[in-house]
Amino acid sequence: MTAIKHALQRDIFTPNDERLLSIVNVCKAGKKKKNCFLCATVTTERPVQVKMVKVKKSDKGDFYKRQIAWALRDLAVVDAKDAIKENPEFDLHFEKIYKWVASSTAEKNAFISCIWKLNQRYLRKKIDFVNVSSQLLEESVPSGENQSVTGGDEEVVDVYQELNAREEQDIEIMMEGCECAISNAEAFAERLSRELQVLDGANIQSIMASEKQVNILMKLLDEALKEVDQIELKLSSYEEMLQSVKEQMDQISESNHLIHLSNTNNVKLLSEIEFLVNHMDLAKGHIKALQEGDLASSRGIEACTNAADALLQCMNVALRPGHDMLLAVKQQQQRFSDLREHFARRLASHLNNVFVQQGHDQSSTLAQHSVELALPNHHPFHRDLLRYAKLMEWLKSTDYGKYEGLTKNYMDYLSRLYEREIKDFFEVAKIKMTGTTKESKKFATLPRKESAVKQETESLHGSSGKLTGSTSSLNKLSVQSSGNRRSQSSSLLDMGNMSASDLDVADRTKFDKIFEQVLSELEPLCLAEQDFISKFFKLQQHQSMPGTMTEAEDVDGGTLSRQHNAGAPLPVSSEKDMIRQMMIKIFRCIEPELNNLIALGDKIDSFNSLYMLVKMSHHVWTAQNVDPASFLSTTLGNVLVTVKRNFDKCISNQIRQMEEVKISKKSKVGILPFVAEFEEFAGLAESIFKNAERRGDLDKAYTKLIRGVFVNVEKVANESQKTPRDVVMMENFHHIFATLSRLKISCLEAEKKEAKQKYTDHLQSYVIYSLGQPLEKLNHFFEGVEARVAQGIREEEVSYQLAFNKQELRKVIKEYPGKEVKKGLDNLYKKVDKHLCEEENLLQVVWHSMQDEFIRQYKHFEGLIARCYPGSGVTMEFTIQDILDYCSSIAQSH
């Protein structure tokens, strides 16, 4: 190992000005054993740098190379694994942990001991040694402190030490001065010894010569010590004199401190007194206003408001610690509480009187509005009460119990007042809708049926006008087939709900205007009252803030809302809920009255639900844009549900009435009642729902109705005995197609095409069925000809068949002269005229189609004669022109 150490020193560390102090042969733990050396080195130049170097033998030759170097100051921990048992493994913690296995435990211990010494000398014990035997570290400690510093190198370096450059230079100069330094080393050593003796003697003589000077110096030091003793005596006397002065100065300083402390306390006391006087002193004028102020005049209200604000500021002043223990403060607070209680009672009593007086004053004005469809204006009352808004805010923050009591009293008085006004208002609206007067209520004493008849007579008189300008055909229909229709649709009409065709447009327009006026009067009334409640009772209605809503009790009995702290202000969400609850109680009669009015309108005319649906939807949409959670929006939304239910019921009733229609067995059917009623409904709905918000509801109703019309038209056609099925289908689907084409309803485009197709198909079917075979024998003859051709006989050879020769053809043709043909067509025209109704005016259309079908058959026969009997000269005894003349003359004669 010594040879390897010298080789490493020579080859690797000497060129880098480093000295090798310790070496250990190691390999990495847990891997293939590739041996290498860990070396502890120091630099020869100052400042000394201590390093740990990994050296490995080269694979290509028998020499060593430097692989990795770490600064010893980067070493954090040396872990020897086991301090008791011999274990060659150890870990070195640099930036990461390196695990090594030494070739022997002795080498590991020597290497760790060297690192410990270097740590003690150069690194000031920065490295932590873990699992290292204390005995090993104690053996490494030198006997003296000086030895640990100066003598450490000899133990570490062993016997080898090179000369530095300075030492080499001095030796060279000395050797140059002696010629025999190299040739005779003994002579050179003796010369050096003699010179050393000469120098020692000179040193001894120099020391002995300086003894006199030392004695003189000692005398001077003794004199100096005597002078120092004298100075110390004087300083002691001075210190004794200053001690009395210090005691006097301490007394003066303590006195000044007490004076300063007294002044500070006086200043603080004055500040506290000024604070209490400034913040807890209420002016006499404010006290007088609170006790005796006039709450009826504007000046008195303003003075009371200012006094209440000043009182609130005095009561809410933030007292400093200890103030509440002062007797004067307690007395002043009690005085403020008494003033607050007294003024709160006076204010609550006055406002209750104002509420009661308002109820009496407003009742006197109800008679003025009893004949007009208008609600009384509450703006003057609101304007007068808003003068107390700031006082209500004060009462809310100081005495929530009285504030809540006022709120309840206001709701009680105003709910009764509004109930009277709204009921009278709706009574006027009902009178105007039905066209009756208050005196007509005597009909209620008549028998039930007679009273209903009289009321309907008065409310529905003059209803013979048209629905729209484009429904004149309906009026004709109602005149021509009124006898049949009344018997067929008796189930559609009752005493409480007249058919839409029996009402005049003017009556519906009148109802629409009255209903719109009712909603237009209610809406500003509710909004004005809600705005007043928000301002007067200081409740926020628009701002939305997170918070838990208070549990609302029943507004008709008990308090408005449960409060966990009677003096605590409500959160914003609870204030919004409180506004809504107050509005519900004040206007609790609006929703029932609206529902009654809607029921009356629906009873007068079921089609009024269309008007109400459009108007109510518009008002709900407007209210929700302002405040979706407001009382008005919620109430109108609830009523809208009722209106929509009535609308759906109207549609369902129409479909049910379609299904219940019965036709007469003795008279022709014509246009079915529910087809005409659908036309009336569609025309009315299109005029009402133009640009409406709820067009989707109408489109759904259209789809249900048209499907019901289609199904029941076919049902009635199948049941018809007097009128052919094709005629019923043709006429009614033609009427439906005409209605849909005129109204241009976008959602029924598919149904319009279907109606047109059904009309065309049944027209063609009826023409073929009615026309039949006007030339019956001739038709049978040519059917036999076509059968022979179908069997394979050539067309020109058919004339050679005995049953189909030319003589037989002439015999059949002679049976149909022009006179007989005209007679048959005339009978056919009369038959068709009996089948068709006059409302649709389809006779000429059907007759023209029959003429075309007859001409088509004629041309078919002519073609067969030309192909099967060529050159025979056989022709029909009438021509196409004759057919046209026959048909034209027959149509003109009828």
Side-chain angles (χ1 to χ4, degrees):
M1 182 64 74
T2 304
I4 294 173
K5 186 174 180 182
H6 285 292
L8 293 176
Q9 177 67 52
R10 182 184 66 249
D11 298 336
I12 294 177
F13 299 113
T14 298
N16 292 327
D17 294 333
E18 292 177 311
R19 283 186 296 163
L20 177 60
L21 303 181
S22 182
I23 184 171
V24 60
N25 185 5
V26 296
C27 63
K28 288 188 177 180
K31 294 189 176 181
K32 281 187 176 182
K33 294 196 175 183
K34 293 183 179 180
N35 289 346
C36 58
F37 296 98
L38 288 180
C39 305
T41 65
V42 294
T43 56
T44 57
E45 295 181 357
R46 295 185 183 275
V48 177
Q49 295 182 4
V50 186
K51 296 182 180 179
M52 188 176 295
V53 182
K54 178 183 175 184
V55 177
K56 186 178 180 182
K57 193 171 185 179
S58 176
D59 297 333
K60 297 181 180 180
D62 191 13
F63 62 90
Y64 296 93
K65 64 179 180 179
R66 188 183 187 123
Q67 201 171 31
I68 303 175
W70 299 277
L72 194 63
R73 64 175 177 270
D74 295 333
L75 179 62
V77 178
V78 175
D79 187 358
K81 296 295 185 181
D82 197 333
I84 300 173
K85 297 181 181 180
E86 292 188 356
N87 187 354
E89 296 181 2
F90 66 97
D91 295 345
L92 300 179
H93 294 230
F94 289 98
E95 71 278 1
K96 65 178 185 177
I97 300 174
Y98 294 89
K99 298 181 180 293
W100 305 101
V101 179
S103 59
S104 67
T105 306
E107 285 187 17
K108 181 189 84 168
N109 292 338
F111 186 73
I112 292 176
S113 178
C114 180
I115 293 174
W116 190 86
K117 293 175 183 179
L118 293 173
N119 176 46
Q120 294 291 318
R121 181 171 183 181
Y122 295 108
L123 301 182
R124 298 180 182 178
K125 304 179 182 179
K126 286 176 58 178
I127 303 173
D128 292 334
F129 290 83
V130 180
N131 297 322
V132 179
S133 172
S134 58
Q135 184 179 2
L136 177 64
L137 299 180
E138 289 173 0
E139 291 175 356
S140 301
V141 178
S143 60
E145 184 180 353
N146 294 332
Q147 288 180 356
S148 66
V149 177
T150 60
D153 285 347
E154 284 76 1
E155 295 180 6
V156 176
V157 176
D158 297 332
V159 295
Y160 178 80
Q161 185 175 1
E162 290 184 344
L163 296 176
N164 57 31
R166 177 75 178 272
E167 291 172 342
E168 288 179 358
Q169 185 179 1
D170 292 341
I171 290 173
E172 287 178 357
I173 294 173
M174 189 180 298
M175 291 175 70
E176 288 176 358
C178 183
E179 295 178 354
C180 60
I182 298 174
S183 60
N184 193 348
E186 294 180 359
F188 179 65
E190 290 178 1
R191 180 180 174 181
L192 291 177
S193 178
R194 287 195 300 269
E195 290 180 355
L196 180 61
Q197 292 175 359
V198 171
L199 288 175
D200 289 339
N203 286 334
I204 292 171
Q205 290 176 3
S206 177
I207 292 171
M208 292 177 68
S210 61
E211 184 178 358
K212 294 180 180 180
Q213 296 178 357
V214 171
N215 293 330
I216 295 171
L217 180 60
M218 293 299 291
K219 290 180 179 180
L220 292 175
L221 288 174
D222 291 337
E223 293 176 359
L225 288 174
K226 291 179 181 180
E227 292 291 333
V228 169
D229 291 338
Q230 293 178 359
I231 292 172
E232 286 181 353
L233 292 174
K234 289 183 179 181
L235 289 175
S236 297
S237 64
Y238 294 158
E239 185 176 359
E240 291 176 358
M241 289 187 290
L242 289 174
Q243 184 67 30
S244 61
V245 175
K246 179 178 178 299
E247 292 175 357
Q248 294 176 2
M249 293 301 298
D250 289 341
Q251 292 177 358
I252 294 172
S253 176
E254 185 177 358
S255 176
N256 289 336
H257 174 70
L258 293 175
I259 293 171
H260 177 72
L261 183 61
S262 176
N263 289 337
T264 303
N265 290 337
N266 290 334
V267 170
K268 288 183 177 180
L269 180 59
L270 179 61
S271 173
E272 297 294 332
I273 294 173
E274 288 178 348
F275 172 81
L276 293 175
V277 170
N278 292 335
H279 292 86
M280 295 193 67
D281 185 29
L282 189 63
K284 292 182 179 180
H286 290 333
I287 295 174
K288 184 177 180 180
L290 292 173
Q291 292 176 341
E292 304 172 0
D294 184 10
L295 289 172
S297 64
S298 298
R299 294 184 63 182
I301 293 172
E302 184 179 1
C304 290
T305 302
N306 295 332
D309 290 340
L311 175 62
L312 184 62
Q313 290 178 4
C314 291
M315 296 186 69
N316 291 339
V317 63
L319 295 177
R320 296 170 184 173
H323 283 179
D324 53 352
M325 300 178 67
L326 297 175
L327 179 60
V329 172
K330 292 180 180 179
Q331 292 175 350
Q332 192 74 347
Q333 287 178 334
Q334 184 61 41
R335 184 182 183 190
F336 290 157
S337 297
D338 294 341
L339 277 174
R340 181 191 63 188
E341 291 293 331
H342 175 74
F343 182 68
R345 285 196 302 271
R346 206 161 65 87
L347 176 62
S349 176
H350 178 77
L351 289 178
N352 279 327
N353 294 335
V354 173
F355 296 159
V356 175
Q357 185 64 34
Q358 169 63 17
H360 294 312
D361 294 344
Q362 201 73 12
S363 299
S364 62
T365 63
L366 292 179
Q368 302 175 4
H369 299 274
S370 60
V371 294
E372 299 177 5
L373 191 58
L375 284 165
N377 188 4
H378 286 249
H379 176 70
F381 174 53
H382 291 166
R383 182 193 58 214
D384 294 340
L385 278 179
L386 282 176
R387 298 181 302 170
Y388 302 95
K390 290 185 178 180
L391 289 174
M392 284 298 296
E393 183 178 12
W394 175 86
L395 189 63
K396 179 182 178 182
S397 60
T398 58
D399 194 340
Y400 194 82
K402 288 187 174 58
Y403 168 83
E404 193 174 31
L406 276 177
T407 304
K408 187 176 182 300
N409 291 339
Y410 179 83
M411 289 189 295
D412 291 340
Y413 293 134
L414 267 292
S415 62
R416 291 196 291 268
L417 175 62
Y418 275 120
E419 187 171 2
R420 291 195 302 270
E421 293 178 354
I422 290 171
K423 284 186 176 180
D424 289 347
F425 173 72
F426 275 96
E427 188 66 29
V428 174
K430 292 174 185 177
I431 291 171
K432 289 184 178 292
M433 281 183 182
T434 57
T436 61
T437 61
K438 290 186 177 180
E439 290 76 6
S440 65
K441 291 184 179 179
K442 63 185 179 180
F443 291 142
T445 61
L446 297 175
R448 188 172 182 180
K449 289 187 178 179
E450 183 180 355
S451 175
V453 170
K454 286 194 175 186
Q455 288 186 7
E456 288 167 8
T457 303
E458 291 190 6
S459 62
L460 305 178
H461 67 85
S463 58
S464 59
K466 302 176 183 177
L467 175 63
T468 60
S470 59
T471 57
S472 58
S473 60
L474 290 180
N475 298 318
K476 294 179 183 178
L477 177 64
S478 63
V479 173
Q480 294 170 355
S481 59
S482 60
N484 298 335
R485 296 267 292 284
R486 286 195 184 102
S487 62
Q488 295 168 0
S489 59
S490 59
S491 61
L492 306 182
L493 305 173
D494 54 29
M495 297 305 293
N497 185 12
M498 301 295 288
S499 174
S501 60
D502 295 328
L503 287 174
D504 190 16
V505 175
D507 292 338
R508 290 182 179 141
T509 305
K510 175 184 175 183
F511 173 83
D512 184 34
K513 290 181 179 179
I514 293 172
F515 191 73
E516 171 64 24
Q517 189 173 357
V518 168
L519 296 179
S520 299
E521 288 287 329
L522 288 176
E523 186 171 340
L525 180 72
C526 293
L527 292 177
E529 183 63 31
Q530 180 169 316
D531 185 61
F532 167 75
I533 289 174
S534 173
K535 292 178 179 177
F536 181 70
F537 292 100
K538 293 300 176 181
L539 301 173
Q540 300 185 35
Q541 59 175 332
H542 297 300
Q543 183 179 1
S544 179
M545 290 175 60
T548 305
M549 296 177 66
T550 49
E551 299 177 4
E553 295 182 2
D554 186 8
V555 295
D556 291 329
T559 58
L560 181 69
S561 59
R562 294 184 187 145
Q563 300 295 328
H564 297 291
N565 186 355
L570 286 169
V572 175
S573 58
S574 296
E575 291 185 353
K576 290 180 66 177
D577 185 57
M578 186 174 179
I579 293 176
R580 186 175 63 83
Q581 296 293 345
M582 290 179 68
M583 292 291 292
I584 289 174
K585 182 166 185 180
I586 292 172
F587 292 106
R588 58 191 172 190
C589 63
I590 285 184
E591 187 171 340
E593 290 295 332
L594 272 174
N595 288 331
N596 292 338
L597 188 69
I598 289 168
L600 177 63
D602 193 55
K603 183 176 180 182
I604 293 172
D605 180 4
S606 62
F607 282 8
N608 282 338
S609 61
L610 278 69
Y611 291 99
M612 292 188 286
L613 182 62
V614 172
K615 295 299 182 184
M616 189 62 69
S617 300
H618 176 71
H619 283 273
V620 169
W621 178 80
T622 305
Q624 287 182 343
N625 284 341
V626 176
D627 185 1
S630 66
F631 163 79
L632 182 65
S633 176
T634 305
T635 302
L636 294 183
N638 294 337
V639 176
L640 177 60
V641 173
T642 303
V643 173
K644 178 62 169 60
R645 192 179 295 117
N646 289 345
F647 175 76
D648 294 339
K649 182 179 177 182
C650 173
I651 301 302
S652 300
N653 286 339
Q654 292 192 54
I655 296 174
R656 178 177 55 79
Q657 291 163 4
M658 294 178 194
E659 297 170 352
E660 295 174 355
V661 164
K662 303 295 180 182
I663 58 173
S664 174
K665 297 181 179 179
K666 297 182 180 180
S667 58
K668 58 185 177 183
V669 177
I671 301 302
L672 293 170
F674 56 80
V675 174
E677 287 167 2
F678 173 77
E679 178 188 16
E680 181 184 16
F681 173 83
L684 179 64
E686 286 301 307
S687 64
I688 295 173
F689 278 81
K690 187 177 183 181
N691 301 324
E693 287 86 359
R694 297 184 70 97
R695 176 74 195 192
D697 294 331
L698 180 62
D699 291 343
K700 292 178 183 177
Y702 275 148
T703 304
K704 292 180 181 178
L705 283 175
I706 200 68
R707 284 292 107 198
V709 170
F710 280 16
V711 170
N712 287 286
V713 166
E714 191 164 353
K715 173 187 170 186
V716 172
N718 292 333
E719 296 174 354
S720 174
Q721 298 180 4
K722 181 72 175 177
T723 306
R725 177 180 183 277
D726 288 327
V727 172
V728 177
M729 298 285 283
M730 173 186 64
E731 289 181 330
N732 283 279
F733 279 108
H734 176 267
H735 193 86
I736 293 169
F737 171 71
T739 299
L740 297 180
S741 299
R742 173 172 54 82
L743 296 177
K744 298 178 180 179
I745 302 173
S746 58
C747 68
L748 297 181
E749 282 297 317
E751 285 77 5
K752 183 179 76 173
K753 294 178 182 178
E754 183 180 353
K756 182 179 180 182
Q757 185 63 40
K758 287 181 179 292
Y759 155 69
T760 305
D761 292 344
H762 289 286
L763 171 62
Q764 187 67 25
S765 175
Y766 177 67
V767 168
I768 294 173
Y769 166 78
S770 299
L771 189 61
Q773 299 175 353
L775 308 177
E776 185 176 359
K777 294 182 178 180
L778 189 62
N779 193 70
H780 285 309
F781 181 84
F782 281 110
E783 284 179 357
V785 171
E786 290 175 341
R788 295 296 187 275
V789 173
Q791 293 173 1
I793 300 175
R794 296 173 60 185
E795 290 183 342
E796 57 270 17
E797 296 178 356
V798 173
S799 61
Y800 297 108
Q801 298 287 324
L802 182 63
F804 300 101
N805 56 25
K806 297 177 183 178
Q807 289 77 14
E808 292 295 328
L809 176 62
R810 288 190 181 96
K811 188 188 298 184
V812 173
I813 289 176
K814 283 183 180 180
E815 293 185 10
Y816 294 101
K819 184 177 180 181
E820 289 295 327
V821 172
K822 182 177 181 182
K823 182 178 178 182
L825 290 174
D826 186 62
N827 291 333
L828 180 62
Y829 186 90
K830 293 177 181 178
K831 180 181 177 182
V832 171
D833 188 29
K834 289 181 181 179
H835 288 163
L836 300 179
C837 67
E838 296 180 3
E839 293 97 316
E840 280 304 290
N841 198 21
L842 289 177
L843 180 60
Q844 296 305 318
V845 176
V846 174
W847 185 245
H848 184 71
S849 298
M850 287 184 170
Q851 173 185 295
D852 293 342
E853 178 64 21
F854 190 42
I855 292 173
R856 185 193 66 77
Q857 291 186 12
Y858 178 87
K859 289 180 179 179
H860 179 63
F861 295 153
E862 286 287 331
L864 286 175
I865 292 173
R867 294 194 303 273
C868 297
Y869 302 93
S872 64
V874 178
T875 59
M876 305 286 281
E877 293 192 2
F878 58 92
T879 63
I880 292 177
Q881 185 60 44
D882 292 335
I883 295 173
L884 294 174
D885 292 340
Y886 297 157
C887 292
S888 177
S889 63
I890 290 171
Q892 291 176 3
S893 65
H894 290 280

